[in-house]
Amino acid sequence: MDIKLSAGELLERFLRYVKVNTRSNPENMDQIPSSQNQVDFAHQLEDELNELGLSDVYYNDADSYVTATLPATDTESNYPTIGFFAHRDTADFNAENIQPQVVENYDGGVIKLSDSGYELSPEDFPSLNKYKGQTLITTDGRTLLGADDKSGIAEIMTAIAYLIDHPEIKHGDIKIAFGPDEEIGMGATRFDVERFGADFAFTVDGGPLGDLEYETFTAAQANVKITGKSVHPSEAKNIMINALQVGMDFHNAISAFDRPEYTEDREGFYFLDGFEGTSDEARMSYIIRDHDSHVFEYRKHQMEKIAEVINSKYPQKVIDIEIVDQYRNMREILEKDMRPVTLAKKSYKAAGVTPNIQPVRGGTDGSILTFRGLPTPNLFAGGENMHARFEYVSLETMVKMSEIIIRMVTIAKDYEQF
């Protein structure tokens, strides 16, 4: 099948999308979505889906997802119903007045990020060496770009528009969902999986060309409250319990090399991402991550044991620890039926892309969706250096993902034979 996508059309969409500030707000996690600008952008996408001519275009106030259906062009064959997800929100970095730069035919050298004083250099960012001769979209050095995950939205939209313009391409029903609050881990927890009606799905939310992910961390949040006994330092002997010192003792009891800065691949970690207070009271917050479910449970147990041992040294309880599970390694479900992963591999190869299968050192909406009954591996979307001023993406990589989506929905005809 000869697929000739318009790179210019995809670029126009992407630039239009990233200029809209859709940063999620972790302080409003009880609000759906966490920021009003995500609602405004959702309605823009809703209008665009209607203009393209999709069916069942719907914005759900209850979960803030925009969903739509591209009906099958082949109703005689036994295609599965496939869903494609991307998230609308961007991460916790300046997203106001985004002014993307388009660098055509990248020469392999230093890219100045406008007059901000920042630059993208292959010396600092070796990933640039892969993109010589390609068109890169960067920031101006003052904001993030938003390729995570507006590249995914643009790629899905472009693929769907191509399929609409080429009804001779045979496929089954295709479902689309653009959701909120992925960056704060809330969007997929509210999604109406049953109404969506897909057999399986893919998040288009990964990194560079070829990435294919079906294994994530299992994750938990640990909140530690320390109650001290504050007295004047001159009278502190045998009386004072310094909550800050207890917090340091707690942290130092955790393996010094089980931290993000010392781990890679499938190695898990404890990450202290908050510590505040006084000698009277302090609070600490951790995230706990591991790909192995047994090691993950051990990590949680160790934190509780450390608290228990420290508490035993004082006349009253000084540490309260609450550990809340967040999401689980989606491989636990997906390995029971690997056909969605097989379909992705076949589609990559049909597009001339070598699958790069690796565990995600984090989670995706797919983690939550998979455990809610919708198997959802993660596909690449192209972003590099995501979430900050050095973010960039290759236009050629985005075009390739749109092509893969088109190939995937046709190859799916043989899904039952995988």
Side-chain angles (χ1 to χ4, degrees), residues 221-224 271-275 283-287:
Q221 171 88 25
N223 298 309
V224 181
F271 173 49
L272 175 63
D273 67 349
F275 188 5
R283 294 180 183 271
M284 309 168 76
S285 59
Y286 287 84
I287 61 173

Side-chain angles (χ1 to χ4, degrees), residues 361-373:
R361 287 182 61 78
T364 73
D365 276 344
S367 304
I368 297 168
L369 293 168
T370 297
F371 277 88
R372 295 189 61 217

